[in-house]
Structure formats: C-alpha cells, structure tokens
Amino acid sequence: EYIVRYLISYRGKGIRVGYVSVQNEPKAVQTWDSCVYTPKEERDFALGYLKPALDRAGLDVKILLWDHNKERVYENAKTYFEGDSEGIWGMGFHWYSGDHFENLQMVSEDYPEKSLIFTEGCVEYSRFDRNNLQQQAEMYAHDMIGNFNHGCRAHIDWNLFLDENGGPNHVGNYCAAPIMLHTKEHTIERQPSYYYIGHFSRYVKPGAVRIGISRYTSEVEACSFLNPDGSLAVILLNREDHPVEVVLRHRTKTSALELAPHTIVTVTDEGEKQ
C-alpha cells in the first residue's frame, strides 16, 4: 500500500511510473536504506502482495525483481520464474561484480518471455580513478555492448548528473556522472561518457531489435540494431592503445574504416530500409 501511494503521488505530479522493483540490491547488507530478501521472499512479496495492490489501484506498472549484480541473475531467475510468474515482468541488474554476460544469455534463452533491464551502474571514485575520464566512458560502452548482445532490452544510468564532488550523497559514496555540475560557477560539463552513451541513445531508436553480428577479432567490440524505420546502426568500440582496421560487411556492401585508439564509432545504413 505504501508503494501504491508513492506511485499515485508521482502520477499526481504528472509522472507515470511504468516499472518498479521490489528492492534495490536485496542481497547487500549496507548503509543504504534497504532490506535483505531471499529470492523466494522477493517472489512471494511481488506475487502475493505488490501485484494485487497495484491491480486494486488500477496501476499498470510492471514489476522487476533482483535489481542487483549480474553474477546471480540466472540462478535467481530459476526461483523467480518457476510456476505461475505472470505477474513478474522481468529482472533488473547492475554491473558492480563484473561482466557476467553469459548469465544474461542463459536467462534470455530459458525465459524468453521475461525482460532484462540494466537498472543501475556508476563509476565509484572509491574503486576507479576519478580523473581517468576515458576509462569511465569505455566502461559504459563495453558493458552496454555486452549486455545488449546477451539479451538486455534497456539501459538506465544511475546518475544523469552530479555536482563537482560526485554527490550529494548521504553515505559518502561519491561517483562520476555523464554530466557534472559546477555549482559555484553555475555551469555544466559533459564528460566523455555522455558522448559514449549517446552512440546508443541517439542511433538506436525505441523499439529497435538487436541483430546478429560476427567479428574477426576481440580487439573490436560491436553490436548492431535494426530500427523500426528499417535503418541499421552498428556500434564499434576500440579500447586498445593502437588503431584497428575494420571492413564492415552487410550483404553485398562493404565499408573499410580505421578505428583510432580508444574510440567509439557508429555506422548507419539508411538506404535499404529493410
């Protein structure tokens, strides 16, 4: 009932919430405001309490479970989705314990009717060099490419913008963000991660379908999408210290290009519309 009040209050402000998760990081004992759930407890709460409350209030809000790191996505899915799980739309996941792209793929293959959404990721200053802006940008692109290639359907960053300290934050967990605010000067600074994320948000349109791609080398990370209007978008990432020569082929067409060191490139084809 409390969550329903929260959602209705947002609607009163003109904001329609489409998705909700039961608990952020339900396995973490931490300083954040949170509880610890077992997968069964989370499933029981979602199906036995949250979904009925949403239905009674007439709220069409999709429920995501887990909302935590990828390494346990698959093993928890076997609990979340056993039996009648129609009221659970999918799973949210984070990146803090590493790639674990294979876990996403196994969920996609075994539970194709369920959705996977990246619901949180940030570059924490306690773990990464706050001044290495290129590393931060490449972390985003690497994770997004791997996630989308293995079944992820959407990406949500944790922070769109933060102040110059990486906050405000009531537990001192300061982070980077795509846009940093300089509060004294009243200015903003777009970080490289802003533009790296933009290769996805600008060229991959809502409703796009991720399509297959094959690479000749691990030095190039890549993913490709078919947009609803029939256009194609291929995103190529080079995290190496040297340039990489690429010949991109689609059916009978080829295009040669050189990926400079530490760059991201998007190639589009709007000609055939099919």
Side-chain angles (χ1 to χ4, degrees):
E1 297 300 330
Y2 183 87
I3 293 174
V4 166
R5 283 188 59 185
Y6 177 89
L7 298 173
I8 291 175
S9 295
Y10 262 98
R11 181 168 291 192
K13 300 291 186 180
I15 300 171
R16 290 183 172 268
V17 175
Y19 308 85
V20 65
S21 66
V22 168
Q23 168 67 60
N24 178 62
E25 300 188 346
K27 189 171 174 56
V29 178
Q30 56 192 358
T31 53
W32 297 107
D33 317 341
S34 62
C35 302
V36 173
Y37 283 83
T38 67
K40 184 179 184 304
E41 287 170 339
E42 198 178 2
R43 171 192 161 90
D44 290 347
F45 175 75
L47 295 177
Y49 299 91
L50 180 57
K51 184 62 168 66
L54 294 172
D55 291 343
R56 287 194 299 270
L59 293 172
D60 182 18
V61 178
K62 297 178 174 63
I63 298 175
L64 293 163
L65 298 188
W66 189 226
D67 211 353
H68 206 163
N69 293 325
K70 281 181 276 185
E71 87 278 3
R72 295 181 184 270
V73 164
Y74 182 67
E75 64 187 86
N76 286 355
K78 292 189 288 185
T79 297
Y80 295 149
F81 303 145
E82 66 181 6
D84 182 8
S85 62
E86 184 178 352
I88 302 171
W89 187 75
M91 296 177 68
F93 63 89
H94 306 171
W95 71 5
Y96 302 109
S97 62
D99 288 346
H100 294 289
F101 299 134
E102 297 83 358
N103 268 332
L104 303 182
Q105 175 127 8
M106 289 189 290
V107 173
S108 298
E109 292 173 351
D110 286 5
Y111 308 99
E113 73 283 3
K114 302 298 184 181
S115 295
L116 289 166
I117 292 182
F118 180 89
T119 48
E120 180 192 312
C122 71
V123 180
E124 301 155 301
Y125 289 153
S126 61
R127 299 176 60 194
F128 301 98
D129 181 3
R130 67 181 299 158
N131 298 312
N132 194 336
L133 303 182
Q134 184 62 32
Q135 179 195 35
Q136 296 171 19
E138 291 178 359
M139 284 175 61
Y140 276 100
H142 166 75
D143 198 66
M144 294 174 78
I145 288 173
N147 290 341
F148 285 130
N149 279 339
H150 292 83
C152 176
R153 299 190 183 184
H155 175 97
I156 304 171
D157 192 16
W158 191 21
N159 304 293
L160 176 61
F161 55 86
L162 295 171
D163 67 21
E164 58 272 275
N165 298 316
N169 189 303
H170 71 289
V171 297
N173 183 30
Y174 298 111
C175 308
I179 300 174
M180 303 300 285
L181 307 180
H182 298 283
T183 55
K184 294 180 180 179
E185 296 83 5
H186 299 285
T187 59
I188 67 171
E189 181 181 359
R190 294 178 178 87
Q191 304 296 310
S193 59
Y194 173 88
Y195 298 100
Y196 271 56
I197 294 171
H199 277 264
F200 300 85
S201 60
R202 179 173 182 177
Y203 298 107
V204 183
K205 307 300 183 183
V209 176
R210 194 267 302 172
I211 57 177
I213 194 168
S214 177
R215 301 168 297 149
Y216 79 99
T217 174
S218 61
E219 291 185 336
V220 178
E221 299 176 52
C223 59
S224 57
F225 300 86
L226 174 65
N227 286 313
D229 65 358
S231 62
L232 297 174
V234 182
I235 301 169
L236 306 170
L237 174 67
N238 178 13
R239 295 193 292 164
E240 304 296 327
D241 294 330
H242 56 267
V244 179
E245 300 288 339
V246 171
V247 177
L248 183 64
R249 180 174 66 84
H250 174 232
R251 295 179 179 165
T252 60
K253 295 182 178 180
T254 61
S255 178
L257 62 155
E258 180 181 274
L259 304 181
H262 298 285
T263 55
I264 187 170
V265 172
T266 297
V267 180
T268 61
D269 179 359
E270 300 182 353
E272 296 185 339
K273 298 294 183 183
Q274 60 181 347

mmCIF file of all heavy atoms in Angstrom, residues 258-274:
data_model
loop_
_atom_site.group_PDB
_atom_site.id
_atom_site.type_symbol
_atom_site.label_atom_id
_atom_site.label_comp_id
_atom_site.label_asym_id
_atom_site.label_seq_id
_atom_site.Cartn_x
_atom_site.Cartn_y
_atom_site.Cartn_z
ATOM 1 N N GLU A 258 39.045 2.828 -40.220
ATOM 2 C CA GLU A 258 40.053 2.623 -39.188
ATOM 3 C C GLU A 258 39.530 3.177 -37.868
ATOM 4 O O GLU A 258 39.116 4.336 -37.788
ATOM 5 C CB GLU A 258 41.358 3.332 -39.555
ATOM 6 C CG GLU A 258 42.443 3.149 -38.502
ATOM 7 C CD GLU A 258 43.728 3.866 -38.859
ATOM 8 O OE1 GLU A 258 44.559 3.275 -39.582
ATOM 9 O OE2 GLU A 258 43.906 5.021 -38.419
ATOM 10 N N LEU A 259 39.545 2.324 -36.847
ATOM 11 C CA LEU A 259 39.144 2.751 -35.512
ATOM 12 C C LEU A 259 40.394 3.240 -34.787
ATOM 13 O O LEU A 259 41.301 2.453 -34.506
ATOM 14 C CB LEU A 259 38.511 1.597 -34.748
ATOM 15 C CG LEU A 259 37.298 0.906 -35.390
ATOM 16 C CD1 LEU A 259 36.779 -0.200 -34.473
ATOM 17 C CD2 LEU A 259 36.191 1.911 -35.681
ATOM 18 N N ALA A 260 40.441 4.522 -34.507
ATOM 19 C CA ALA A 260 41.588 5.083 -33.798
ATOM 20 C C ALA A 260 41.635 4.519 -32.381
ATOM 21 O O ALA A 260 40.634 4.009 -31.864
ATOM 22 C CB ALA A 260 41.472 6.612 -33.765
ATOM 23 N N PRO A 261 42.778 4.579 -31.728
ATOM 24 C CA PRO A 261 42.868 4.060 -30.360
ATOM 25 C C PRO A 261 41.851 4.747 -29.436
ATOM 26 O O PRO A 261 41.654 5.950 -29.504
ATOM 27 C CB PRO A 261 44.308 4.391 -29.948
ATOM 28 C CG PRO A 261 45.050 4.534 -31.225
ATOM 29 C CD PRO A 261 44.075 5.097 -32.215
ATOM 30 N N HIS A 262 41.215 3.938 -28.608
ATOM 31 C CA HIS A 262 40.282 4.438 -27.594
ATOM 32 C C HIS A 262 39.203 5.333 -28.215
ATOM 33 O O HIS A 262 39.044 6.499 -27.857
ATOM 34 C CB HIS A 262 41.040 5.175 -26.495
ATOM 35 C CG HIS A 262 42.002 4.306 -25.756
ATOM 36 N ND1 HIS A 262 41.590 3.361 -24.826
ATOM 37 C CD2 HIS A 262 43.360 4.212 -25.836
ATOM 38 C CE1 HIS A 262 42.653 2.733 -24.353
ATOM 39 N NE2 HIS A 262 43.734 3.206 -24.949
ATOM 40 N N THR A 263 38.463 4.743 -29.160
ATOM 41 C CA THR A 263 37.373 5.479 -29.802
ATOM 42 C C THR A 263 36.137 4.596 -29.917
ATOM 43 O O THR A 263 36.216 3.368 -29.851
ATOM 44 C CB THR A 263 37.755 5.953 -31.217
ATOM 45 O OG1 THR A 263 38.179 4.815 -31.993
ATOM 46 C CG2 THR A 263 38.854 6.987 -31.181
ATOM 47 N N ILE A 264 35.009 5.260 -30.106
ATOM 48 C CA ILE A 264 33.748 4.582 -30.390
ATOM 49 C C ILE A 264 33.190 5.186 -31.667
ATOM 50 O O ILE A 264 33.266 6.406 -31.886
ATOM 51 C CB ILE A 264 32.756 4.714 -29.208
ATOM 52 C CG1 ILE A 264 31.506 3.859 -29.453
ATOM 53 C CG2 ILE A 264 32.397 6.165 -28.935
ATOM 54 C CD1 ILE A 264 30.595 3.754 -28.220
ATOM 55 N N VAL A 265 32.653 4.334 -32.532
ATOM 56 C CA VAL A 265 32.146 4.757 -33.842
ATOM 57 C C VAL A 265 30.807 4.084 -34.078
ATOM 58 O O VAL A 265 30.635 2.900 -33.761
ATOM 59 C CB VAL A 265 33.131 4.377 -34.973
ATOM 60 C CG1 VAL A 265 32.516 4.636 -36.338
ATOM 61 C CG2 VAL A 265 34.444 5.130 -34.831
ATOM 62 N N THR A 266 29.864 4.826 -34.627
ATOM 63 C CA THR A 266 28.588 4.241 -35.047
ATOM 64 C C THR A 266 28.451 4.382 -36.556
ATOM 65 O O THR A 266 28.642 5.474 -37.106
ATOM 66 C CB THR A 266 27.398 4.925 -34.355
ATOM 67 O OG1 THR A 266 27.489 4.700 -32.946
ATOM 68 C CG2 THR A 266 26.078 4.350 -34.852
ATOM 69 N N VAL A 267 28.147 3.275 -37.217
ATOM 70 C CA VAL A 267 27.922 3.249 -38.664
ATOM 71 C C VAL A 267 26.435 3.013 -38.886
ATOM 72 O O VAL A 267 25.841 2.105 -38.290
ATOM 73 C CB VAL A 267 28.747 2.137 -39.335
ATOM 74 C CG1 VAL A 267 28.496 2.124 -40.838
ATOM 75 C CG2 VAL A 267 30.233 2.322 -39.039
ATOM 76 N N THR A 268 25.822 3.818 -39.720
ATOM 77 C CA THR A 268 24.392 3.668 -40.014
ATOM 78 C C THR A 268 24.208 3.421 -41.502
ATOM 79 O O THR A 268 25.011 3.823 -42.332
ATOM 80 C CB THR A 268 23.594 4.924 -39.603
ATOM 81 O OG1 THR A 268 24.072 6.056 -40.342
ATOM 82 C CG2 THR A 268 23.745 5.189 -38.127
ATOM 83 N N ASP A 269 23.122 2.714 -41.823
ATOM 84 C CA ASP A 269 22.736 2.427 -43.197
ATOM 85 C C ASP A 269 21.252 2.728 -43.303
ATOM 86 O O ASP A 269 20.416 1.983 -42.793
ATOM 87 C CB ASP A 269 23.037 0.978 -43.560
ATOM 88 C CG ASP A 269 22.624 0.638 -44.989
ATOM 89 O OD1 ASP A 269 22.096 1.531 -45.676
ATOM 90 O OD2 ASP A 269 22.820 -0.511 -45.389
ATOM 91 N N GLU A 270 20.910 3.814 -43.937
ATOM 92 C CA GLU A 270 19.513 4.215 -44.062
ATOM 93 C C GLU A 270 19.001 4.032 -45.478
ATOM 94 O O GLU A 270 17.919 4.489 -45.822
ATOM 95 C CB GLU A 270 19.351 5.676 -43.629
ATOM 96 C CG GLU A 270 19.763 5.913 -42.184
ATOM 97 C CD GLU A 270 19.554 7.362 -41.757
ATOM 98 O OE1 GLU A 270 19.212 8.172 -42.628
ATOM 99 O OE2 GLU A 270 19.711 7.646 -40.563
ATOM 100 N N GLY A 271 19.792 3.330 -46.304
ATOM 101 C CA GLY A 271 19.423 3.246 -47.712
ATOM 102 C C GLY A 271 18.374 2.210 -48.041
ATOM 103 O O GLY A 271 17.412 2.480 -48.747
ATOM 104 N N GLU A 272 18.532 0.971 -47.511
ATOM 105 C CA GLU A 272 17.669 -0.106 -47.953
ATOM 106 C C GLU A 272 16.330 -0.161 -47.222
ATOM 107 O O GLU A 272 15.347 -0.645 -47.744
ATOM 108 C CB GLU A 272 18.399 -1.436 -47.788
ATOM 109 C CG GLU A 272 19.629 -1.548 -48.666
ATOM 110 C CD GLU A 272 20.248 -2.916 -48.564
ATOM 111 O OE1 GLU A 272 19.994 -3.623 -47.577
ATOM 112 O OE2 GLU A 272 20.987 -3.290 -49.485
ATOM 113 N N LYS A 273 16.280 0.325 -45.980
ATOM 114 C CA LYS A 273 15.038 0.360 -45.220
ATOM 115 C C LYS A 273 14.377 -1.019 -45.153
ATOM 116 O O LYS A 273 13.195 -1.187 -45.427
ATOM 117 C CB LYS A 273 14.063 1.385 -45.810
ATOM 118 C CG LYS A 273 14.574 2.805 -45.791
ATOM 119 C CD LYS A 273 14.734 3.354 -44.393
ATOM 120 C CE LYS A 273 15.175 4.806 -44.395
ATOM 121 N NZ LYS A 273 15.405 5.340 -43.068
ATOM 122 N N GLN A 274 15.158 -2.019 -44.825
ATOM 123 C CA GLN A 274 14.587 -3.364 -44.705
ATOM 124 C C GLN A 274 15.394 -4.174 -43.709
ATOM 125 O O GLN A 274 16.496 -3.821 -43.370
ATOM 126 C CB GLN A 274 14.539 -4.058 -46.064
ATOM 127 C CG GLN A 274 15.901 -4.241 -46.722
ATOM 128 C CD GLN A 274 15.775 -4.914 -48.075
ATOM 129 O OE1 GLN A 274 14.737 -5.448 -48.416
ATOM 130 N NE2 GLN A 274 16.845 -4.866 -48.845
#
